[in-house]
């Protein structure tokens, strides 16, 4: 792809993003899920770190 074609594609993509997120994506559900996963990883890490 040439630079002008790539730039035109990116502009088209950016214009479509102005309309908001997909209807099925809830920011609260996504953030809450990520928070729970991070807490689970933290708990697993502290369980295996028994050298103290």
């Amino acid at each position: 792809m040439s630079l002008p074609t790539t730039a035109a594609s990116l502009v088209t993509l950016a214009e479509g993003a102005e309309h908001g997120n997909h209807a099925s994506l809830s920011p609260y559900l996504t953030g809450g899920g990520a928070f729970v996963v991070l807490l689970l990883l933290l708990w697993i890490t502290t369980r295996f770190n028994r050298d103290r």
Side-chain angles (χ1 to χ4, degrees):
M1 291 179 77
S2 65
L3 185 60
T5 306
T6 305
S9 298
L10 289 174
V11 167
T12 304
L13 182 65
E15 287 175 350
E18 292 176 0
H19 300 297
N21 292 336
H22 193 272
S24 66
L25 291 177
S26 169
Y28 295 111
L29 183 62
T30 305
F35 182 69
V36 168
V37 168
L38 288 173
L39 283 178
L40 179 66
L41 288 173
L42 179 64
W43 181 79
I44 291 171
T45 303
T46 57
R47 295 302 109 200
F48 282 111
N49 189 13
R50 299 229 178 225
D51 57 347
R52 285 191 257 143

